[in-house]
């Protein structure tokens, strides 16, 4: 049975769904500026928490999948229950927005954003009791001007890009919050000081209580199924499952490409030029990655806005995924230079947690693991060049040449990380390419060769079905 429309719609944020319903046909690049309340939240210690479960095998992954379903559901209930929208999820970081059209609405938006953060923390307490965990969210709430842009559009697939002073202030507030704390910026607290009380801190007010508005989940926009299918991750579209079944966690070997793009306000020129610059690089990124049969999306967190591409997802793996990632970076580099964007590109290969988690309010196709974190670090480390890790170099060494660079230290890792500069487009001669052979498939190989020998000697033929990811 195919996924329900509600399950597909949950992968799109309300902001995008509403725009797709109201936009011209076909939609065109667009940007609006508004006053808004922003809630930015993440989960303390999430990466080691995920790693600890991922290392325990299938049972650990199944349990982790149930926890992640509950985590995203907790955020969705808190945000959508107060009329907000989760516009971006990057790892364990949630970016949520409440646009307002008047000062009265703005005050109400800040209170709802604060109430959403409070509800999330209450849900997390129940989650911890149920799963015997100790996950603590921390959140920053800010208010001010926000720009909401719709970019990309390759084959009808659009991304939402949020930027502006309110976003910057929310990042700073979240950074100043302790685990289990909601920190309002001073300007946000001024909007709701009659309904929220707390403890003053250098960056704002840490909430200890509030008169929360009653939860009210608004009807969500409905869009045609064919439009939905353009925005749902390919691995999700291929799933056939019972409507009441959740897809639990899976560990997969991925090749990852990440590059940072500037915020709209950081690009020189008038507003229309800035928007077209971001749209052009987003669309070009989609064209390149989709053309190489990868998955592309735009994400936003405290490190900024970045483009993420992956190869190796369920049903879409190739034996040369690392080569495809390198070729994508090679094709993207001229586009970045032509637009005068000083952006590094990080490429990594390794295992990561994959899965679609959440509820019909909001789902997210998540990738989490050191391979994703390292790609982000390489992206930030490399200035106007492409660097990759050792597993990527080893996977593509028969197709490309590499030059070793000085090892680097990155946040979250105690060891030195070997990195390489790819010599993209420098394929090795065919006579230097060697077959890698198979590992751990001797019984299957012996049965196949035995059947072949029998047919060659006049015996009866047999039918074999080989089922595995590409490259296995």
């Amino acid at each position: 049975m195919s996924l329900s429309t509600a399950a597909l719609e949950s992968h799109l944020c309300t902001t995008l769904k509403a725009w797709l319903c109201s936009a011209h046909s076909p939609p065109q690049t667009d940007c609006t500026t508004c006053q808004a309340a922003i809630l930015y939240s993440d989960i303390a210690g999430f990466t080691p928490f995920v790693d600890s479960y991922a290392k325990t095998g299938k049972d650990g992954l199944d349990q982790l999948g149930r926890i992640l379903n509950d985590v995203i559901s907790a955020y969705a209930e808190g945000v959508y229950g107060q009329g907000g929208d989760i516009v971006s999820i990057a790892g364990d970081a949630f970016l949520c927005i409440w646009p307002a059209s008047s000062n009265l609405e703005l005050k109400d938006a800040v209170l709802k954003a604060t109430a959403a953060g409070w509800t999330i923390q209450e849900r997390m307490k129940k989650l911890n009791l149920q799963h015997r965990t100790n996950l603590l969210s921390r959140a920053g709430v800010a208010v001010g001007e926000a720009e909401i842009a719709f970019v990309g559009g390759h084959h009808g697939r659009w991304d939402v890009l949020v930027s502006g002073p309110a976003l910057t202030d929310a990042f700073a507030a979240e950074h100043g919050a302790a685990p289990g704390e909601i920190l309002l910026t001073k300007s946000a607290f001024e909007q709701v000081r009659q309904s929220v009380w707390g403890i003053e801190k250098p960056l704002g007010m840490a909430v200890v209580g509030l008169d929360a508005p009653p939860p009210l989940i608004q009807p969500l926009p409905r869009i045609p199924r064919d439009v939905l299918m353009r925005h749902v991750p390919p691995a999700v579209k291929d799933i056939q499952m019972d409507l009441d079944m959740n897809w639990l966690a899976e560990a997969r070997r991925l090749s990852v490409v990440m590059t940072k793009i500037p915020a709209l306000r950081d690009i020189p020129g008038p507003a229309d030029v800035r928007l077209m610059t971001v749209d052009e690089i987003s669309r070009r990124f989609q064209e390149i990655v989709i053309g190489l049969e990868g998955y592309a999306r735009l994400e936003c967190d405290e490190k900024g806005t970045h483009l993420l591409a992956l190869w190796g997802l369920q049903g879409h793996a190739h034996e040369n995924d690392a080569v495809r990632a390198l070729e994508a970076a090679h094709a993207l580099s001229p586009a970045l230079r032509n637009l005068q964007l000083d952006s590094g590109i990080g490429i990594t290969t390794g295992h990561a947690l994959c899965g679609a988690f959440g509820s019909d309010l909001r789902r997210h196709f998540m990738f989490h693991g050191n391979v994703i974190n390292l790609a982000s670090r390489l992206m930030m480390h490399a200035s106007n060049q492409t660097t990759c890790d050792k597993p990527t170099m080893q996977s593509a060494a028969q197709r490309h040449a590499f030059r070793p660079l000085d090892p680097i230290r990155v946040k979250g890792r105690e060891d030195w990380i070997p990195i390489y500069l790819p010599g993209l487009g420098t394929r090795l001669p065919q006579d230097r390419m060697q077959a890698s052979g198979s590992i751990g498939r001797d019984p299957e190989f012996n049965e196949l060769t035995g059947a072949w020998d029998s047919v060659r000697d006049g015996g009866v033929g047999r039918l074999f079905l080989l089922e595995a990811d590409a490259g296995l």
Side-chain angles (χ1 to χ4, degrees):
M1 185 180 294
S2 61
L3 286 171
S4 67
T5 299
L8 291 172
E9 285 183 342
S10 63
H11 285 274
L12 280 68
C13 67
T14 304
T15 302
L16 178 58
K17 287 188 283 189
W19 181 75
L20 289 171
C21 288
S22 62
H24 298 290
S25 182
Q28 297 179 350
T29 303
D30 192 15
C31 182
T32 60
T33 301
C34 65
Q35 294 294 308
I38 299 287
L39 168 71
Y40 182 70
S41 176
D42 72 353
I43 301 171
F46 189 70
T47 296
F49 172 81
V50 170
D51 290 344
S52 66
Y53 275 86
K55 292 176 181 177
T56 59
K58 183 180 182 302
D59 290 343
L61 287 173
D62 287 349
Q63 176 64 10
L64 179 59
R66 286 185 282 271
I67 294 172
L68 292 175
N69 272 324
D70 289 345
V71 167
I72 295 180
S73 296
Y75 272 85
E77 290 169 14
V79 173
Y80 291 102
Q82 291 294 339
D85 186 24
I86 303 174
V87 292
S88 175
I89 305 175
D92 62 317
F94 295 75
L95 175 61
C96 316
I97 188 169
W98 284 258
S101 58
S102 67
N103 289 336
L104 184 61
E105 281 191 12
L106 191 61
K107 181 177 297 187
D108 187 52
V110 176
L111 183 57
K112 288 181 175 180
T114 307
W118 188 270
T119 300
I120 290 167
Q121 293 195 346
E122 293 301 307
R123 295 286 192 275
M124 294 293 286
K125 292 175 183 177
K126 294 180 180 179
L127 183 153
N128 287 329
L129 288 174
Q130 178 184 350
H131 295 289
R132 298 181 180 179
T133 54
N134 188 32
L135 295 173
L136 296 175
S137 67
R138 56 189 167 204
V141 176
V143 63
E145 187 175 276
E147 294 176 315
I148 305 173
F150 303 91
V151 297
H154 179 63
H155 287 174
R157 188 194 183 286
W158 295 88
D159 285 310
V160 181
L161 171 62
V162 180
S163 59
L167 194 65
T168 304
D169 292 346
F171 290 156
E174 184 273 340
H175 186 72
E181 192 171 76
I182 306 166
L183 188 65
L184 273 64
T185 62
K186 294 178 180 178
S187 57
F189 179 70
E190 285 301 316
Q191 295 280 345
V192 294
R193 62 182 309 121
Q194 302 300 321
S195 304
V196 176
W197 52 96
I199 301 172
E200 188 171 358
K201 300 185 70 173
L203 293 178
M205 185 69 68
V207 179
V208 296
L210 76 161
D211 292 326
L216 177 63
I217 296 179
Q218 302 291 333
L220 300 179
R222 308 304 296 269
I223 59 178
R225 191 177 178 92
D226 63 322
V227 177
L228 280 175
M229 297 301 281
R230 298 172 197 156
H231 294 83
V232 175
V236 173
K237 288 190 287 188
D238 293 342
I239 299 171
Q240 301 292 316
M241 59 167 62
D242 185 281
L243 293 182
D244 294 327
M245 179 185 290
N246 288 316
W247 180 21
L248 298 183
E250 178 185 30
R252 298 192 63 83
R253 182 174 172 86
L254 304 178
S255 288
V256 182
V257 173
M258 291 185 71
T259 187
K260 184 178 179 181
I261 60 175
L264 285 171
R265 289 175 173 270
D266 295 335
I267 299 174
D272 58 339
V273 173
R274 293 188 280 116
L275 176 60
M276 293 309 298
T277 298
V278 173
D279 178 66
E280 183 176 340
I281 194 63
S282 300
R283 183 185 295 264
R284 180 62 181 142
F285 185 74
Q286 291 178 342
E287 291 173 352
I288 292 168
V289 174
I290 294 172
L292 289 166
E293 298 182 355
Y295 171 61
R297 76 180 180 203
L298 182 151
E299 293 188 338
C300 185
D301 60 17
E302 74 281 0
K303 295 186 288 294
T305 302
H306 52 267
L307 302 170
L308 169 68
L310 302 105
W311 287 261
L313 298 178
Q314 184 185 53
H316 298 268
H318 312 83
E319 58 185 325
N320 63 343
D321 280 331
V323 173
R324 291 169 186 257
L326 287 161
E327 291 178 352
H330 181 49
L332 183 64
S333 294
L336 293 171
R337 288 195 299 269
N338 289 342
L339 295 173
Q340 299 180 336
L341 300 180
D342 183 16
S343 301
I345 301 177
I347 310 174
T348 56
T349 298
H351 284 85
L353 166 78
C354 303
F357 307 106
S359 67
D360 280 354
L361 272 179
R362 189 72 159 92
R363 280 186 177 86
H364 180 59
F365 192 71
M366 177 180 285
F367 324 103
H368 206 284
N370 286 327
V371 65
I372 307 294
N373 296 337
L374 182 57
S376 175
R377 304 302 178 194
L378 293 184
M379 169 190 73
M380 301 299 291
H381 173 79
S383 177
N384 205 23
Q385 67 176 1
T386 299
T387 56
C388 71
D389 65 350
K390 188 173 183 179
T392 301
M393 181 275 294
Q394 292 173 328
S395 298
Q398 294 181 343
R399 297 291 298 274
H400 295 287
F402 296 83
R403 179 163 62 88
L405 302 175
D406 291 336
I408 63 171
R409 299 288 292 270
V410 299
K411 181 181 177 181
R413 297 278 294 270
E414 296 181 357
D415 53 332
W416 287 89
I417 308 297
I419 61 173
Y420 299 84
L421 185 68
L424 298 171
T426 56
R427 296 183 176 181
L428 299 183
Q430 189 70 27
D431 59 3
R432 291 180 58 188
M433 299 178 66
Q434 301 176 354
S436 59
S438 61
I439 300 174
R441 302 293 180 187
D442 290 342
E444 294 87 348
F445 183 75
N446 291 336
E447 185 170 358
L448 285 171
T449 55
W452 171 254
D453 291 341
S454 176
V455 172
R456 186 183 57 189
D457 296 337
V460 178
R462 297 169 61 187
L463 177 66
F464 290 88
L465 173 64
L466 303 182
E467 185 176 8
D469 283 336
L472 296 183

